[in-house]
Amino acid sequence: MLNTAFHPGSPDWLDLGSPDTRASVDFYTALFGWTFDPAGPEAGGYGFFQLDGRTVAALGPLAEEGSLPAWTLYFATLDADRTTELVEQAGGHVRFTPFDVFTAGRMAGYTDPTGAEFAVWQPHDTRGLEVVNEEGSLCWAECYSVDAERAKTFYRTVFSWQEQDVPLEGASYTVLTPAGAGSDDAHGGIMQLGPEQTARGTTSHWLPYFEVPNVDASLAIADKLGATVRIPAMDVHGVGRLAQFHDPHGAVFAVITSAKPGE
């Protein structure tokens, strides 16, 4: 499970690029009970979603011309410049080179060889998210890929993730754990997109999951707020009950009520 120890290679930050940040604030604060704390005029409209005063995610306007509304997952690194070299060596694309964010940390953004976008965060004053794996916060990171084997090879080179292939509803699913961490530190997975998904135009992407107390209640709220259901609520044995959405601007995310041990 996710935790704030932030081993190298584990998710440590998450932000949403939106064409209408005010509308996105209204949607996510109503859905998750978050509050929003703007970072100030020098931050270019960037700010922080918080839960009980702790940062759970961030939000900013779309930063690149032609970019689509999306959640971006950041993975912890001790050296963003070295990670950038590894991304290039492994066949990925550097969307933006490493740069310092005031004194908070250093970041860079990439696209993997199958088309999924992600970023890294090298912490300085800001270690990362202040809460994960609790209700209303990030609890899992999932990569859907048009070529899962190629994606695994890429991320193995960049982050040295440990992998475990497990059966899931008739498909193969690869559970990811930071290098050198225990199985309890698993942070996400990689799954092959099916032909029916690619036929509908679905491309490789990372999908954040947020823990909620009741998936069906969250689904009803999201629907009233203008979200579109991508995958309706469903039970996955040993995992929990989950659903996936497009928010009102099209950014994809998921909610889950995780199964308790023994369920």
Side-chain angles (χ1 to χ4, degrees), residues 5-147:
F6 299 138
H7 301 284
S10 66
D12 64 347
W13 194 255
L14 174 75
D15 61 21
L16 173 67
S18 171
D20 185 340
T21 55
R22 182 66 259 173
S24 292
V25 166
D26 292 342
F27 175 80
Y28 286 100
T29 55
L31 179 60
F32 291 128
W34 295 343
T35 57
F36 184 70
D37 182 22
E42 70 279 3
Y46 201 79
F48 309 102
F49 285 119
Q50 296 188 322
L51 187 65
D52 298 328
R54 300 174 296 171
T55 298
V56 292
L59 167 71
L62 294 174
E64 302 173 62
E65 185 175 350
S67 59
L68 299 174
W71 282 100
T72 298
L73 282 154
Y74 293 67
F75 298 94
T77 180
L78 300 176
D79 187 338
D81 296 271
R82 175 56 181 159
T83 300
T84 299
E85 293 175 359
L86 292 172
V87 166
E88 293 177 318
Q89 291 170 14
H93 170 69
V94 179
R95 295 194 342 270
F96 53 89
T97 56
F99 68 93
D100 293 321
V101 182
F102 306 111
T103 61
R106 190 165 175 80
M107 64 181 285
Y110 317 108
T111 304
D112 77 21
T114 79
E117 295 185 352
F118 68 102
V120 293
W121 178 253
Q122 177 185 338
H124 293 155
D125 293 346
T126 300
R127 291 188 61 250
L129 300 175
E130 294 177 322
V131 57
V132 296
N133 214 47
E134 296 181 13
E135 289 183 1
S137 69
L138 180 70
C139 65
W140 194 249
E142 201 161 77
C143 180
Y144 285 86
S145 179
V146 298
D147 188 340

